[in-house]
Amino acid sequence: MSIISKYRPLFLLLVVIIFCTNSFGQTVSINQPFVDTLQCRGGQFNVSYTVNSSTGNFQNNNIFKIILSDFNGTFSTYSPVIGQGYGNASNTVICTIPSGTPPGTQYRIRIVADSPAYTSPNNGVNIRVSYYPNITGVTVNSPVCVGNTLNFGVTTTTANTTFAWEGPSGYTSNIQNAVLTNAKLAHNNVFTAKVTAYGCTTTDTIRPIISPPPAKPVATTNSPVCERGDLGFASHSTTPNVSYIWHDSLGNPLSGWDNFLIKHAKPSNSGMYIVTAKIGTCTSKDTVYGFVKPSPDTPILSYNPPLCAGDTLLLKSIVGQTGLIYKWTGPAGFTSSIPNPTIPNVPKSYEGEYQLVLESNGCESLPTKLDVAIGGQISILEVTGDTTLCPGDTLALTTRGGAGVYQWKGPNGFNLFGGAIFRPNITAKDGGQYILTLSHNGCTSPPTIINVEIPDIKKPNIQHNGPVCEKDTIQFSITETPGATYAWTGVNNFSSTDPNPRITNAQMIHAGVYGVTTTYKYCSENGAIDIEVKPLPIISEVSSNGPVCEDEWIQLYSKTNISGGEYSWTGPNGFTSTKQSPNFRLDNEHVGAYILSLTNNGCISTPSSVTIDMTEGPILPAPTNNSLINEGEELRLFAGNRKAGTTFSWTGPDGFTSTDGDPVIKDATILHAGTYRVTASYNGCTKTAETQVQVRSTSKISVKLYPSPNNGLFTISGIISDNSTYKYTIVDVLEHVIQKGTITPTNKKFKQEIDVRGIPSGVYMIQIGKDSYKFVVL
């Protein structure tokens, strides 16, 4: 046995000691001074470090990691990396405080190297960490006009903050919602909002818009004016290109022009009027008062008809005002200035139109006109004719008299000019008083009054519910006459004195003509109607294809087939159908009796029924899985909702099938992601459900190497992010190449035996892609 073989364990230990001694021969220090300072989370700062080497150098692929402690200055495996430097020389690293770092005053930093492994002492000085406040919005109420107030606002979700505003013309404010009164054109610039929390400040800006107002307009009016005159307004501003709008005192818009008229003005139009001149959003205003003087009310005129020549004419005016000037005019040059003038022994020449105009405060009323008729006296007239009639008869009344205009007036606005009335086919509404007058030369005779009696007997106008079906009730109804008597006759010796009789349990023999006579006082009315009785349809048989499994199609059958017939099925859970033989998918809520009714020619059959049963099936699966998982992990599927005696069938991505209730896929890959479907079977019935599986794709090679230590014969296995062929290289601690080869995965998986037996004992590395894996050969 050689000396090396005999002391191989000691030789291996010596190699490790030499390797580690070289690693710890280097030191890294954080450059000073690194004073106690404020850092804001999410912010950046520079850390410079110096590499001092006494026995060796860091490797070229070495990474220096800047590590941040917790708020007590303590480091752990969970301490975050806030910056990285690369290589083996001194450097300056940009570091970032993580956004979720808790505020504190005793943070420290240190440097950790990986080739070789080394950890420096901490920087020796406390670091205080705060956070930037969050600004969620900056607002201003612009655009505004010169002289108005600007209102600024800044919102934040951060507590314990202070605020500062800066703007043009030296503006400052230290409140959250700042105010700038009497805004000027010079303030058309950027305003900055600063929000500070625990020493960290966030800023945002906003720029308002400020516009100058137009020159004040001058408003004028032509008031006062009289009622029904035109009230006019005008305005002018020395600022060119302005727009105008007029409002009343209540703010109602009136006109968008500089000048406008209110035609036919009323006293209610009196009041203050406002004109606004506008450029952009800036305005200026002026006001003017418009006054409309009221005219006198229009008078109501009347006189004392009937009036014949030689009588006294009395002219009357009704006015609700005093202190008015009266201006009467009329035929034959008549004038008067008193409210109610009289004309004794009036001649025929004074017949015609009279007019009155009222005046007050320079304004006149509308003219009111009155027609005055003047005639002679006429004697009462005699009338002949039958005044006792029935509806449908003819009313005939006549008179004799001298020359003139004969006028009849009667019920319901009846009005006729002439010496006789001839009205065929009268009704009860035509009964009542008829009045006859004769007019001649402006005079009218006393009225002659005739009373005509017409009983209000109604035509029966028979109503019924026919056609009816067998076994229905035939119902008659008529238009009744209060106080009348009734006589019904019809088929099958039918008779009745009831105004609205009925026939129960109708049969085919009851079809035919029915009549009624209404009698009231000395008048009668007749009516007749033909009644149809229809036969009932008959349902011969109903059946089904039941029982069936849940969610299978159930078919209802009816052997009765009537052309034009209407089918009506009803069943459990509100089921309805108008098909002769409907079908539907069966569930528990639809098990039970189904009833069919058949309607033909408006008649409904006696219902017939059939009972539906359902075959017991499996419980609907409730599949789940253990995803989200990484490639290479075990995928477990669970059917859920099991029932004794149930069998299962799974299908899924990449051709997956299984009859297990809860199957397992070992070493899952991204190809196993997707939809898995499980079917439960019981008693010949099935139910299917799905579950979604997520498999996270590895972004690099995941390798297992075993055993280690070994004798040079070992196995590597794992998962690769794609199906590409990868090269591997085995090197010793001096980076001498021992072996090269390739790895070819199948479905992103690989398992490959490596044989380097015969190499010296020691530490070796196998490099696959950019990753290296250490193993020991004894």
Side-chain angles (χ1 to χ4, degrees):
M1 177 182 296
S2 67
I3 296 177
I4 293 176
S5 300
K6 182 177 181 180
Y7 297 101
R8 174 173 291 178
L10 295 177
F11 176 78
L12 177 60
L13 176 62
L14 178 60
V15 171
V16 171
I17 292 172
I18 293 172
F19 179 81
C20 294
T21 301
N22 286 338
S23 298
F24 286 92
Q26 296 100 358
T27 61
V28 179
S29 62
I30 300 172
N31 291 351
Q32 300 295 339
F34 195 83
V35 298
D36 180 10
T37 184
L38 167 69
Q39 300 297 333
C40 300
R41 63 183 184 187
Q44 294 183 335
F45 63 97
N46 293 335
V47 172
S48 298
Y49 59 84
T50 301
V51 177
N52 297 317
S53 176
S54 60
T55 59
N57 293 319
F58 289 103
Q59 297 181 12
N60 290 335
N61 61 351
N62 173 62
I63 299 175
F64 289 111
K65 298 179 179 178
I66 313 300
I67 309 298
L68 180 68
S69 72
D70 63 14
F71 56 81
N72 292 318
T74 303
F75 295 89
S76 69
T77 56
Y78 302 105
S79 296
V81 176
I82 62 173
Q84 290 189 155
Y86 301 92
N88 54 13
S90 302
N91 201 353
T92 297
V93 177
I94 298 175
C95 295
T96 303
I97 301 296
S99 60
T101 302
T105 60
Q106 300 182 39
Y107 282 92
R108 299 290 182 95
I109 60 174
R110 68 183 183 186
I111 301 177
V112 175
D114 65 354
S115 295
Y118 174 77
T119 301
S120 77
N122 66 54
N123 62 299
V125 179
N126 287 339
I127 299 173
R128 181 159 58 101
V129 174
S130 183
Y131 54 86
Y132 289 108
N134 180 32
I135 293 180
T136 58
V138 179
T139 60
V140 66
N141 63 325
S142 77
V144 299
C145 298
V146 170
N148 289 351
T149 297
L150 286 173
N151 295 307
F152 297 92
V154 57
T155 55
T156 177
T157 57
T158 306
N160 301 317
T161 54
T162 60
F163 302 91
W165 287 87
E166 296 177 357
S169 301
Y171 174 78
T172 61
S173 176
N174 60 358
I175 61 176
Q176 181 176 4
N177 298 313
V179 177
L180 189 156
T181 59
N182 193 22
K184 299 178 175 57
L185 292 176
H187 293 121
N188 274 319
N189 215 320
V190 174
F191 286 74
T192 301
K194 298 181 179 181
V195 180
T196 302
Y198 302 105
C200 294
T201 300
T202 302
T203 64
D204 202 349
T205 61
I206 195 167
R207 182 168 184 163
I209 299 173
I210 304 164
S211 303
K216 179 180 178 180
V218 177
T220 58
T221 179
N222 66 335
S223 71
V225 297
C226 288
E227 184 177 2
R228 294 183 297 276
D230 293 339
L231 178 61
F233 296 91
S235 64
H236 175 70
S237 172
T238 58
T239 302
N241 301 321
V242 298
S243 62
Y244 297 89
I245 184 169
W246 286 86
H247 292 82
D248 60 19
S249 59
L250 298 179
N252 298 311
L254 302 175
S255 174
W257 298 93
D258 52 349
N259 305 322
F260 80 100
L261 284 177
I262 300 177
K263 301 184 75 64
H264 308 295
K266 303 176 182 178
S268 60
N269 295 128
S270 296
M272 192 66 70
Y273 288 78
I274 305 163
V275 63
T276 301
K278 181 178 181 182
I279 288 184
T281 60
C282 298
T283 62
S284 58
K285 300 180 180 181
D286 194 15
T287 60
V288 64
Y289 190 86
F291 179 61
V292 180
K293 297 187 295 183
S295 296
D297 295 337
T298 301
I300 299 175
L301 304 183
S302 64
Y303 74 106
N304 56 325
L307 190 66
C308 294
D311 293 342
T312 298
L313 172 60
L314 303 177
L315 297 173
K316 296 181 181 180
S317 64
I318 300 176
V319 183
Q321 296 169 277
T322 60
L324 302 177
I325 299 174
Y326 289 78
K327 299 178 179 180
W328 282 93
T329 58
F334 171 79
T335 61
S336 178
S337 61
I338 62 175
N340 302 306
T342 62
I343 304 174
N345 195 25
V346 64
K348 180 70 174 177
S349 60
Y350 273 58
E351 183 179 49
E353 182 180 273
Y354 290 77
Q355 178 174 292
L356 174 62
V357 174
L358 302 176
E359 180 181 337
S360 176
N361 196 23
C363 296
E364 291 186 343
S365 70
L366 291 173
T368 303
K369 297 178 181 180
L370 176 67
D371 287 327
V372 173
I374 302 174
Q377 296 180 345
I378 304 174
S379 301
I380 192 169
L381 303 175
E382 293 184 2
V383 175
T384 60
D386 191 357
T387 59
T388 303
L389 303 170
C390 289
D393 291 346
T394 297
L395 173 61
L397 299 175
T398 60
T399 186
R400 292 179 181 179
V405 177
Y406 292 85
Q407 183 176 17
W408 293 88
K409 291 187 177 180
N412 299 317
F414 176 76
N415 190 27
L416 175 68
F417 291 94
I421 296 177
F422 185 81
R423 300 185 69 184
N425 197 28
I426 58 174
T427 68
K429 293 181 180 180
D430 297 320
Q433 286 189 347
Y434 285 78
I435 301 172
L436 173 63
T437 59
L438 174 61
S439 299
H440 182 63
N441 292 330
C443 292
T444 302
S445 68
T448 300
I449 300 176
I450 305 298
N451 289 313
V452 176
E453 181 183 4
I454 306 172
D456 189 13
I457 185 171
K458 312 293 184 184
K459 283 190 174 295
N461 293 329
I462 301 175
Q463 303 294 319
H464 64 94
N465 61 332
V468 298
C469 299
E470 285 184 289
K471 300 183 181 181
D472 286 350
T473 296
I474 302 174
Q475 297 178 346
F476 298 97
S477 64
I478 64 171
T479 303
E480 297 185 42
T481 298
T485 60
Y486 308 92
W488 284 88
T489 60
V491 297
N492 199 32
N493 297 320
F494 173 79
S495 66
S496 176
T497 59
D498 190 330
N500 303 305
R502 61 176 57 196
I503 301 173
T504 59
N505 193 23
Q507 303 298 318
M508 299 301 296
I509 60 174
H510 292 114
V513 176
Y514 292 78
V516 63
T517 298
T518 300
T519 302
Y520 178 62
K521 293 184 178 180
Y522 49 83
C523 298
S524 63
E525 294 284 351
N526 297 316
I529 196 71
D530 192 1
I531 296 296
E532 178 186 357
V533 180
K534 300 181 292 186
L536 294 178
I538 299 174
I539 299 176
S540 59
E541 181 182 352
V542 293
S543 60
S544 76
N545 65 332
V548 298
C549 296
E550 183 179 10
D551 205 36
E552 289 188 354
W553 288 96
I554 190 74
Q555 180 74 55
L556 300 174
Y557 300 99
S558 169
K559 292 185 177 180
T560 303
N561 188 6
I562 298 178
S563 178
E566 299 176 4
Y567 298 83
S568 176
W569 288 89
T570 60
N573 200 29
F575 172 82
T576 61
S577 178
T578 58
K579 295 181 178 179
Q580 179 178 349
S581 300
N583 60 358
F584 56 90
R585 290 188 181 275
L586 186 63
D587 55 29
N588 282 323
E589 295 180 349
H590 289 89
V591 172
Y594 287 78
I595 301 172
L596 171 63
S597 296
L598 176 59
T599 301
N600 184 47
N601 197 22
C603 295
I604 303 175
S605 69
T606 300
S608 184
S609 66
V610 61
T611 299
I612 300 299
D613 293 323
M614 185 173 70
T615 302
E616 181 183 1
I619 298 173
L620 179 67
T624 58
N625 61 80
N626 64 328
S627 68
L628 170 74
I629 62 172
N630 295 319
E631 286 188 310
E633 295 180 349
E634 190 174 76
L635 172 61
R636 294 182 177 275
L637 301 169
F638 309 96
N641 287 1
R642 297 187 180 179
K643 179 180 181 179
T646 302
T647 61
F648 298 91
S649 174
W650 286 86
T651 61
D654 199 28
F656 171 78
T657 61
S658 176
T659 58
D660 291 342
D662 302 327
V664 176
I665 300 175
K666 296 183 178 295
D667 296 328
T669 73
I670 191 64
L671 300 176
H672 292 107
T675 302
Y676 287 75
R677 183 178 289 103
V678 59
T679 300
S681 301
Y682 181 86
N683 201 19
C685 299
T686 62
K687 291 185 178 180
T688 301
E690 297 179 349
T691 183
Q692 298 293 323
V693 169
Q694 301 181 60
V695 180
R696 183 187 292 114
S697 175
T698 57
S699 60
K700 60 180 182 178
I701 302 174
S702 175
V703 176
K704 294 181 181 178
L705 187 153
Y706 54 91
S708 179
N710 55 61
N711 63 354
L713 180 65
F714 58 91
T715 299
I716 57 174
S717 65
I719 298 174
I720 298 179
S721 59
D722 53 33
N723 283 322
S724 302
T725 298
Y726 278 72
K727 295 180 180 180
Y728 74 85
T729 303
I730 299 175
V731 298
D732 59 16
V733 294
L734 299 179
E735 298 189 358
H736 295 145
V737 176
I738 304 301
Q739 187 183 88
K740 293 185 177 182
T742 59
I743 296 172
T744 302
T746 301
N747 290 336
K748 302 177 68 176
K749 294 181 180 180
F750 69 89
K751 184 176 181 181
Q752 188 164 327
E753 188 175 68
I754 306 296
D755 190 353
V756 291
R757 286 177 290 188
I759 64 175
S761 301
V763 178
Y764 294 86
M765 303 289 287
I766 180 169
Q767 299 174 344
I768 303 175
K770 296 182 180 180
D771 298 321
S772 298
Y773 305 90
K774 185 184 296 184
F775 65 95
V776 177
V777 176
L778 298 179

